[in-house]
Amino acid sequence: MNRCLLLRVSLLLSLLCVCARVYVELKGSSLTPPVRLQKQAVAMATDAASTLKHHRRIPRWKIDLEPWAAETRGLQEEARRFLRYISTPQVSCERPASVPPVFDREDHGSWVLCLDRRFSLAQRIASKHCRVYSLRLAVDDDRLERMLAGSGCEVHCFDPSLRSAHLQEEHMWLHRLSVDWRDPNPDRLHTHTHSRRKIKDILNSFGHRQVDVLKLDLESAEWKVLENLVLERVLDSLGLLLLELHLHWPGFEVGGDEPSVIRYWFSLLRELERAHYRLYHSYSDPNKPRLILHRNIQNASSSFVLGWVNTRFLPQG
């Protein structure tokens, strides 16, 4: 309520300033046509209103779908565009010679960090002020998380399959928690053996304003979780996004025919680009089935690991 009142007062003050300027110009110069001054006043008022609207954080309920890849709206055209997009890095990340020795060992599988000095992660690791979130479902491969924890990062792993609610190792916290994209149903809060929460709620409850690395390995829940990150404007709080895609089926709560599903996938990743993220890493798993939506399309793997860097990320604290 207070924010709404402040916005209205600001808009009123802006309009008063416009009127005062028009009055001064009318009084000081009789050569200026009144029509032109009227247009100037309208333009200035429009700019002021546009600026205020831009600063309002208007809630979003759905992502913006990209145009179809072709007028035919066919599966092959959509798949071709999507595969080309996720296979083409948009920025290169150079590894500096001064990175910690542990990063010299390629022992963290297909998950690759961007340690380029243009971005903040290398400096954050060196100063031991980095924070990592790993969202997973019964994942055995936690080499990347342990490597970052061993380097001094604060690592939080969220996994509903854990036996204990909370475990702590050095620099590494394990939470029996399922990350969801939906608000919890109050009627079912006591029916689950583990809790389900959205990432924004987790950040708020932990008092974390930013996360340097977010890793998603959610076995086909990644699409709706990623959509939630976009719609709730969490992306600004992240420095690096590591994402495993599972393409053999649409994913949880992703509907539509096959071309529409791939168009949705593509549109969702394009939202990352609009949020100033750039793809720096793409890995196609050769050991996974060659199936996309249960079809062999361009002999592509059903599993990709992508790395995105937020080029506008400014660490705080």
Side-chain angles (χ1 to χ4, degrees):
M1 181 65 69
N2 292 335
R3 292 182 60 187
C4 183
L5 180 61
L6 288 175
L7 287 172
R8 291 181 179 179
V9 171
S10 300
L11 179 58
L12 179 59
L13 291 175
S14 300
L15 292 175
L16 289 175
C17 292
V18 170
C19 294
R21 177 174 173 181
V22 171
Y23 173 78
V24 170
E25 292 190 13
L26 278 171
K27 187 175 181 180
S29 175
S30 60
L31 298 178
T32 305
V35 175
R36 181 187 300 174
L37 289 175
Q38 184 179 5
K39 291 182 177 180
Q40 290 177 353
V42 172
M44 293 174 65
T46 302
D47 290 342
S50 177
T51 301
L52 287 172
K53 182 178 179 181
H54 175 74
H55 287 287
R56 291 179 181 178
R57 300 185 72 83
I58 301 175
R60 294 180 62 188
W61 304 106
K62 61 181 181 179
I63 66 168
D64 298 324
L65 290 177
E66 294 290 319
W68 291 95
E71 294 182 0
T72 57
R73 301 186 178 185
L75 174 61
Q76 294 295 329
E77 291 82 2
E78 292 299 324
R80 187 179 303 112
R81 177 178 67 172
F82 174 74
L83 290 171
R84 182 171 61 248
Y85 187 73
I86 65 174
S87 303
T88 309
Q90 300 164 337
V91 65
S92 62
C93 286
E94 301 295 333
R95 172 175 290 191
S98 58
V99 296
V102 67
F103 292 98
D104 294 337
R105 302 195 307 271
E106 295 293 338
D107 59 354
H108 45 276
S110 56
W111 305 92
V112 176
L113 300 173
C114 180
L115 300 173
D116 195 297
R117 290 294 183 184
R118 290 174 295 170
F119 310 114
S120 63
L121 183 58
Q123 294 90 326
R124 299 280 287 177
I125 293 175
S127 63
K128 301 186 183 302
H129 283 95
C130 53
R131 179 178 294 123
V132 180
Y133 273 26
S134 175
L135 316 182
R136 60 199 197 187
L137 295 175
V139 175
D140 296 328
D141 186 1
D142 60 355
R143 288 174 291 175
L144 178 65
E145 291 90 328
R146 294 192 176 279
M147 180 183 66
L148 288 167
S151 300
C153 291
E154 174 189 342
V155 178
H156 295 268
C157 300
F158 303 92
D159 189 338
S161 66
L162 295 175
R163 294 184 177 181
S164 300
H166 296 284
L167 296 173
Q168 182 177 351
E169 302 175 7
E170 186 176 3
H171 297 294
M172 193 166 177
W173 288 260
L174 307 177
H175 310 276
R176 189 177 64 195
L177 184 65
S178 178
V179 176
D180 209 336
W181 57 92
R182 300 155 295 194
D183 289 315
N185 185 343
D187 297 331
R188 302 180 60 187
L189 286 178
H190 302 292
T191 63
H192 296 282
T193 57
H194 60 272
S195 57
R196 308 169 68 92
R197 304 172 70 180
K198 296 190 291 185
I199 295 180
K200 187 174 183 179
D201 296 332
I202 296 174
L203 288 168
N204 291 336
S205 65
F206 284 7
H208 295 160
R209 299 181 60 185
Q210 293 182 321
V211 173
D212 295 283
V213 180
L214 174 62
K215 177 185 173 184
L216 301 182
D217 188 2
L218 295 176
E219 304 300 327
S220 298
E222 64 273 3
W223 296 113
K224 300 305 291 187
V225 171
L226 180 58
E227 182 183 61
N228 178 255
L229 293 178
V230 171
L231 297 180
E232 297 204 340
R233 304 178 187 274
V234 181
L235 293 177
D236 293 342
S237 305
L238 310 177
L240 216 67
L241 177 62
L242 300 176
L243 175 68
E244 183 170 15
L245 303 180
H246 303 86
L247 309 178
H248 59 287
W249 72 295
F252 292 102
E253 295 191 6
V254 177
D257 58 16
E258 293 171 333
S260 297
V261 168
I262 299 182
R263 181 193 182 201
Y264 166 79
W265 290 348
F266 175 71
S267 301
L268 190 49
L269 295 181
R270 283 280 291 152
E271 289 276 3
L272 292 177
E273 191 174 349
R274 278 192 287 272
H276 309 293
Y277 281 71
R278 296 296 179 265
L279 181 66
Y280 70 88
H281 170 67
S282 176
Y283 171 78
S284 171
D285 192 337
N287 298 317
K288 294 297 177 67
R290 301 284 169 168
L291 293 175
I292 297 181
L293 299 180
H294 306 292
R295 296 173 180 262
N296 187 323
I297 301 178
Q298 299 184 18
N299 201 34
S301 173
S302 61
S303 177
F304 280 76
V305 172
L306 305 182
W308 297 81
V309 57
N310 183 354
T311 60
R312 299 285 183 88
F313 183 67
L314 296 175
Q316 300 174 6

